[in-house]
Structure formats: C-alpha cells, structure tokens
Amino acid sequence: MSYDTINRVAVLGAGNMGHGIAEVTAMAGYDVVLRDIEPEYVEDGYESIAWSLEKLEEKDRLDEPADAILERIETTTDLEEAVADADLVIEAAPENLELKHDIFADLERYADEDALLATNTSSLPITDIAEAVDTPERVLGLHFFNPPVKMDLVEVIYGAETSDDAAEAGYDWVESIDKTPIYVRKDVRGFVVNTIVGPFIGEACWMVSEGDAEVRQADAAMAHGRGYPMGPFELADLTGIDVGYHVRKEAGDDIPSIMAEKVEAEELGKKTGKGFYDYEDGDGPDYEPGQGEGFDTLQVEARMINRAAYLVGEDVATPEAVDIGVRLGLGFPEGICRRADKIGLDTVLEKLEAKSEETGDDRFEPHPYLRELVAEGKTGEDAGSGFHDYGSGDAGDLDSYRYLNAEVEDGVLEVELDRPERMNALSTDLLEEIDDLFSTVDTDDIRCATIEGTGDRAFSAGADITGFGSLEPTDAMNVTPAFETVNEFPRPVIAKVDGYCLGAGLELALACDLRIATKRSSFGAPEIGLGLIPGGGGTQRLMRVLGETRAKELVFRGNHIDAERAADWGLANRAVDRDEFDETVEAFVDDLRNGPPLGLEVAKKVMNRGEDASLEAALAMESQGFGLLIGTDDVREGTAAFAEDREPEFEGR
C-alpha cells in the first residue's frame, strides 16, 4: 500500500485533535469523513474547522477557497458509514484503552480489509490498541501534535506487529499532507518527543524538590540562558501539571514532591488559574533573565541527552529523527543530539556518573549507548563524530548544513532557511552556515541564487532572541559577516518572501539584490521595541533603498508594512498573489539564468560599491567595468545574437 492508494480518510473523534486532523487532511485535497458519537460533537467539530479555515483564508494561507475545502468534509455519527469506503482510518478518541479496543474491534468488521488503521494516541502503546483486531500488521500510530493545523510534526509509530508496508504508507501519507513525519520504530512509552521532554520538566522538579534550585531560577536559566522556548515550570503549567504526574505514576516512576503537592492542591497550571505560577492574582510566568544564575542546566540537559541515547541505542529512532522531533514538536532551538555533540558526550557522561554516585538514583544511570560512544572516542563535534558525523563536511558541501537546505538546479543556487519551528529565526549557527555557503560554494555553474524560508509562515521572522539573555555586549558588537557575504556574492540573489520578513530577516532580504513577495507578506524592523536597533546593516541598507524619511519611519516606529506598500516604497520589486508567486519568481530567475554571468557580476559590483562613492568615483567605476566587459566573448555573442535576431547563449567568458 502507498499513499497513492489513499483517497478517502475517516477521522474518528471530532474533538480538538480529531477536527484538526480532518482539517489538514481536507486542506491537502483528500475527501474526509468526520465522525463522533453525538450529533452536537460532530457539529461543534465541523464549525471549528469552518472558523479555522475562514481565519486562514483571511491571512491568505490557503491555496483554494475555504468553501472548497469544506465541501470535501462529510460528517456522521454512524461508524459503519464513516469507514465503509475509507482507505485510511485515524482514531482520535479519548485516551482510554477499553474505548479504543471497542472502536478497533468495530473497524475490523466495518472497514475494508485493505484500509490502513491508525491511532492518534499520545500515551497508549500501539501494540495494546492493536490487540483488538485480527490484522495488527496494518495498525500504526500517527501521532499529531496540538493544534494539527499549526504543528508540523507527526510521529509514525510501529506497534509490535506493524508491517513496514503499513508504516511506509503512513509516512508517505503524512508527507502528502505537507507535514513532517519521523519514524518511531519501537513502541516505547512516550514515543520520541515525550521521552525527551519528560526529564526537561521532571529533572527541574527534582532539583527544586531537593532544595537545589528555585522555580524562577530554573525557568530563567533554561529559557534565557539555554534558549529553550520556555522554562520547564512554565511548560508544565501550560500542559497541565497533572499530565506529567499521571504519566510518571502509570510508568511506576517516583514523583518529585513539588509536582505531587501541586496535584494534591489541585493547582494544575494555567487551566486551573494557578500552578507553579499564579494566573489569576499574579502575572503568570514572571521570571527574568538574570534570575537564572547558579542553576545547573547541564544536569537537566544530561538527563535529556541520556534519554536520546536510549532512543538511538535501542533503535527506536535515528539521531536525525530525534532532532527533528524536538525541534518541530517542542520548539527546541536545536536538536538534542546536536546539542549533546556541542556540549561533548564525555562531559555529559561525567555529569551523569557524578550524580549517580552522589545520589544513587537510577535516573542518572548512563545508557550503555552513551558509554559506547564515549569509549569509541565519538564525543561530539570536536572529535568529528558523536550522535552525528562531522568528519565528511567539506567546505562548500551542500549536504553538510543543519539549518539550511541548498542545492544547485539548472544554474540556480536554491537556498532554504530551515527552522520552521522558529519561523526561520536567524540563530548564530544559521547565520554562520549562510556565511559559509555563500563564501565557499563553487560559482562556476551558478548563474543566480534564491533564498526562501521553509514552512508557510515566514521568510524569516527575525533574529533568534532566545539567546540574548546570555549575550555579552562585546559579543553583540561582532556583527556576523553573513549579510555582507550575501550582498557581495558574485551572482544576483533573489529573496523569495512569503510571510513575515522582520528584523534580521529583513536585513537578510536587504542583502539580496531583488525581493519578490506575496501580498500576504509583511516587512518591518521591530528591534526598537526591544530597546535595540537593527544590527545587520538594516539601518544603512534601509536608508539606501528607501531614503531617509521612510527608513526612519520603519526603524523609529517599529511597525510592519504590508507587501503592497513595500512594493510602492521600493522595498520589494513585486508584490503578487500567492498563486502568481512561483511564476513571477521564475520569470526573474529565467532572465538572470540566461543573462551574461560576467556582465551581471560586474554590474552588481559597480552598483554596490558605487552607493558609497562620490558620483565622480562611481562613474569611474562604471567606465572601468564597461571597459573590462567590452572585449569578452559574452559581449561578442550578445552583439551577434542581436544582429541575427536570436536569443544569446552566454558562457561567462
């Protein structure tokens, strides 16, 4: 079975997860049946989909009218009717094994024998759920994250008897709905993402319970010091303290006293108005960057890394899958395996061994795979290998980058910023990769380059400010060369802007030669709202592109402007509807790809450098450039083609 054979999908359960899965499935072009046990449940789910699609349409984030998508969604309370013609059934009922057994037993009777049967469970073993059917080989987990419309990740989980064909069909189908799947090849508790996030919250709770830390200290250190999207206690309040409590209780694990006390007091977090923070009479998570001093972040990260070693060492998931999972599912600034390799696996092992000897607690026992890597000298980046291999990435190797995707296709260097979980925010690592790519790539076969963001929300929403709390002023003064490297790249560079283009993202777009945007895009320099100014050339390039009046308006006010105003001002070359975007970009690319490489290189250099020179000096540079080109083969070819009324074929000589 492959996703090509899946045309009709049944989603069982119209709650938050169920109607969200139905919505993204219909958005991808599939016919969907949404089923629940009561008419009002189905009606509420359908209305939620309609509301969500309306909002997405208003933001120009749909490829077709919302009504057309809604027409592909049917509703029913009849299970047999819902699944009779379904090629894929996704169960999204409450987390109750007996209930799921009842549903899957009915599916065995009502669904086609070739239908793929999936569960969206987040906590129950796939193997246990599959016990209700006679064909467990076609049962798998498709674990979406909440809300499915916004969250890109789906865990594709094997049960004990799930066939490779079934898992591969599920994986392919997830890709077909424009989500990112990762394989979870063994049916372990917590799958990948929850296995890693468990000690992120749990170890911080132990440290506070044992008197080694305070709540705000832990959150400030992990969020502001280490760049996580929020602190562990803030995250626990958001997800519900009782959730983590019951997961640990069901697993037979000891429970930190601070967690048990909150559950006993029914202070479960944001949903009850009070948890580790007060949301009714207080300000909620009110920790500040400076409060993180003295917190042992390595103790928390070592525990997460140890769980990653368990997942990789037990063949549950690859390091790549683990890293994708925590980035897309948890919003971590980088994969936990990548972070481990940066810290040094020997450093992690030493921390775990020291804590294990000090406390005698099993939670610090290093996994054998971590010991194995260290024993083999695979301790991370500095050693050339760890969880990942760092030894084969030569300068200019387009496959060696972590946070950007790059390939040369028909003379075009196509670059994608690949941090969709952070709306492609420009971290130090990403900027270093941009600088390396544009500094080292072989330009002989390149006629032009394009830069765009992955995901459907942003070109780049700015700098990754999660690291600002630990940044020293002297470090901040060393502006990355990435922007200048792009600006001085010898080939024309086009910024393909679809969505937010803000702050450092705007500065990257300004470093490009041309900017083409969808009408839904917005541009801005919001740094002033942080008490900062643009730091990647934004103040100066904006002045040159827009002039003093408009540049100062953008910088001083910190407001966004839409793409059409950006085009009116000259900030964007074009602002077009999304359905015209690719065609418009391709027209620009065609002109650049077929243009004279030497002529374009000289034109770019003369125009860039002439900005900072007097008119007399700029004209002199122009004359020199003209003189350099006049004797080239490209000029002779261009002249001959003009005389012969044909298209020139420039060779760059």
Side-chain angles (χ1 to χ4, degrees):
M1 178 184 292
S2 72
Y3 77 91
D4 290 330
T5 67
I6 296 175
N7 297 305
R8 187 174 177 84
V9 179
V11 180
L12 310 181
N16 287 337
M17 292 303 299
H19 73 66
I21 294 169
E23 181 178 356
V24 297
T25 302
M27 287 169 61
Y30 289 94
D31 292 326
V32 185
V33 181
L34 180 64
R35 184 261 179 184
D36 213 315
I37 57 174
E38 298 291 344
E40 57 265 33
Y41 298 163
V42 178
E43 183 178 344
D44 287 347
Y46 186 83
E47 288 178 355
S48 295
I49 294 173
W51 177 86
S52 174
L53 289 173
E54 181 183 349
K55 295 300 179 185
L56 291 172
E57 189 171 40
E58 289 174 359
K59 297 176 181 178
D60 197 20
R61 292 181 61 190
L62 297 178
D63 294 328
E64 59 182 321
D67 288 344
I69 297 171
L70 279 171
E71 287 178 1
R72 290 196 286 271
I73 302 175
E74 301 175 21
T75 61
T76 184
T77 57
D78 188 311
L79 179 62
E80 183 175 3
E81 176 187 329
V83 305
D85 299 319
D87 305 303
L88 167 64
V89 180
I90 303 175
E91 169 270 312
E95 295 287 78
N96 179 291
L97 183 59
E98 184 177 350
L99 172 61
K100 292 181 188 289
H101 275 171
D102 290 343
I103 293 171
F104 274 80
D106 287 339
L107 291 180
E108 186 82 353
R109 294 200 305 272
Y110 298 143
D112 186 270
E113 63 181 9
D114 292 327
L116 198 61
L117 307 181
T119 173
N120 181 57
T121 183
S122 60
S123 62
L124 299 174
I126 311 302
T127 305
D128 291 355
I129 294 171
E131 289 175 349
V133 302
D134 297 328
T135 52
E137 66 274 5
R138 61 172 170 157
V139 177
L140 74 157
L142 291 179
H143 180 214
F144 287 75
F145 287 74
N146 194 24
V149 173
K150 292 184 178 180
M151 298 296 285
D152 192 44
L153 183 71
V154 180
E155 292 178 311
V156 179
I157 309 142
Y158 278 74
E161 298 187 62
T162 304
S163 70
D164 287 339
D165 286 345
E168 288 166 9
Y171 189 99
D172 289 345
W173 178 79
V174 170
E175 287 189 320
S176 79
I177 63 169
D178 202 27
K179 297 296 180 183
T180 301
I182 60 170
Y183 280 123
V184 184
R185 295 189 178 275
K186 290 185 179 179
D187 193 8
V188 300
R189 182 182 295 274
F191 311 139
V192 166
V193 172
N194 288 333
T195 293
I196 301 298
V197 80
F200 179 74
I201 295 173
E203 189 56 36
C205 284
W206 279 116
M207 293 170 76
V208 171
S209 297
E210 293 167 355
D212 296 329
E214 296 179 354
V215 168
R216 287 169 177 79
Q217 180 191 24
D219 278 0
M222 297 305 289
H224 296 297
R226 296 298 288 160
Y228 292 94
M230 61 183 69
F233 293 99
E234 181 183 4
L235 179 60
D237 275 359
L238 182 65
T239 58
I241 300 170
D242 54 324
V243 174
Y245 173 89
H246 289 300
V247 166
R248 286 167 175 78
K249 189 172 183 180
E250 289 171 8
D253 294 337
D254 291 337
I255 298 171
S257 60
I258 190 173
M259 184 180 288
E261 290 165 5
K262 289 295 179 182
V263 171
E264 184 177 346
E266 297 185 354
E267 295 176 354
L268 308 180
K270 199 169 184 179
K271 62 186 176 184
T272 60
K274 191 173 183 180
F276 294 115
Y277 295 95
D278 191 337
Y279 298 86
E280 291 180 342
D281 301 322
D283 297 324
D286 54 359
Y287 56 90
E288 301 291 340
Q291 293 177 284
E293 292 294 325
F295 182 78
D296 189 353
T297 58
L298 180 58
Q299 183 169 325
V300 175
E301 291 184 319
R303 291 258 351 261
M304 290 194 288
I305 292 164
N306 201 35
R307 297 305 287 161
Y310 155 74
L311 291 171
V312 177
E314 301 296 329
D315 296 322
V316 176
T318 64
E320 291 78 12
V322 173
D323 283 356
I324 290 170
V326 299
R327 286 177 60 202
L328 298 183
L330 298 171
F332 279 13
E334 62 185 332
I336 193 64
C337 295
R338 292 285 185 189
R339 177 153 286 193
D341 286 349
K342 277 186 178 179
I343 294 170
L345 301 188
D346 50 343
T347 300
V348 173
L349 181 58
E350 288 172 8
K351 168 59 75 172
L352 291 170
E353 288 178 332
K355 293 301 294 183
S356 180
E357 183 176 349
E358 174 189 334
T359 65
D361 198 306
D362 289 344
R363 75 180 192 268
F364 294 112
E365 177 60 31
H367 189 272
Y369 183 67
L370 180 62
R371 293 187 185 277
E372 177 185 326
L373 288 174
V374 174
E376 293 176 356
K378 298 178 178 179
T379 55
E381 283 189 6
D382 290 345
S385 66
F387 281 108
H388 298 279
D389 185 6
Y390 302 90
S392 60
D394 298 328
D397 180 0
L398 300 187
D399 295 324
S400 65
Y401 300 107
R402 307 174 208 166
Y403 304 113
L404 59 80
N405 307 315
E407 64 176 351
V408 177
E409 184 73 29
D410 195 19
V412 182
L413 173 61
E414 299 174 346
V415 181
E416 290 182 329
L417 312 176
D418 190 17
R419 299 189 76 213
E421 73 282 357
R422 293 292 181 97
M423 291 199 289
N424 303 312
L426 299 178
S427 64
T428 301
D429 289 336
L430 176 52
L431 286 167
E432 288 176 353
E433 291 190 356
I434 293 170
D435 179 54
D436 181 78
L437 171 63
F438 281 90
S439 297
T440 62
V441 69
D442 185 352
T443 59
D444 287 348
D445 297 323
I446 295 173
R447 296 297 185 90
C448 68
T450 63
I451 303 178
E452 62 186 308
T454 55
D456 64 351
R457 300 178 65 190
F459 171 77
S460 171
D464 190 345
I465 65 172
T466 55
F468 280 16
S470 59
L471 193 66
E472 295 294 332
T474 51
D475 295 332
M477 292 171 66
N478 298 320
V479 178
T480 173
F483 303 108
E484 280 303 307
T485 303
V486 171
N487 187 244
E488 295 177 3
F489 188 63
R491 302 289 184 257
V493 184
I494 299 174
K496 297 170 60 177
V497 179
D498 183 25
Y500 294 114
C501 183
L502 308 174
L506 173 59
E507 291 168 321
L508 178 60
L510 285 166
C512 298
D513 302 292
L514 303 165
R515 290 162 290 281
I516 302 171
T518 58
K519 288 182 179 177
R520 76 180 187 119
S521 302
S522 59
F523 296 78
E527 289 91 342
I528 202 72
L530 299 174
L532 295 169
I533 64 171
T539 57
Q540 302 309 303
R541 289 200 177 95
L542 278 173
M543 289 279 284
R544 286 159 173 75
V545 171
L546 298 181
E548 178 183 355
T549 303
R550 286 169 172 167
K552 287 183 175 177
E553 178 179 341
L554 272 185
V555 173
F556 290 0
R557 299 185 71 192
N559 294 337
H560 300 183
I561 61 171
D562 61 40
E564 290 181 282
R565 176 174 292 185
D568 288 342
W569 283 11
L571 183 56
N573 296 82
R574 298 286 189 278
V576 299
D577 292 327
R578 290 189 83 195
D579 57 5
E580 301 173 8
F581 184 56
D582 290 339
E583 181 180 349
T584 303
V585 171
E586 189 58 31
F588 274 70
V589 167
D590 278 345
D591 287 340
L592 299 176
R593 178 168 43 209
N594 296 319
L598 289 176
L600 288 168
E601 180 178 352
V602 171
K604 177 173 179 174
K605 188 174 295 184
V606 168
M607 295 173 79
N608 282 357
R609 295 183 179 176
E611 286 182 334
D612 299 321
S614 67
L615 179 59
E616 182 180 4
L619 290 172
M621 281 190 282
E622 180 182 88
S623 296
Q624 291 170 359
F626 186 90
L628 286 171
L629 293 169
I630 196 66
T632 62
D633 290 345
D634 276 356
V635 169
R636 283 189 283 273
E637 165 63 12
T639 304
F642 178 78
E644 296 165 12
D645 194 23
R646 61 175 174 80
E647 292 297 322
E649 296 182 6
F650 297 113
E651 298 292 338
R653 297 195 297 268

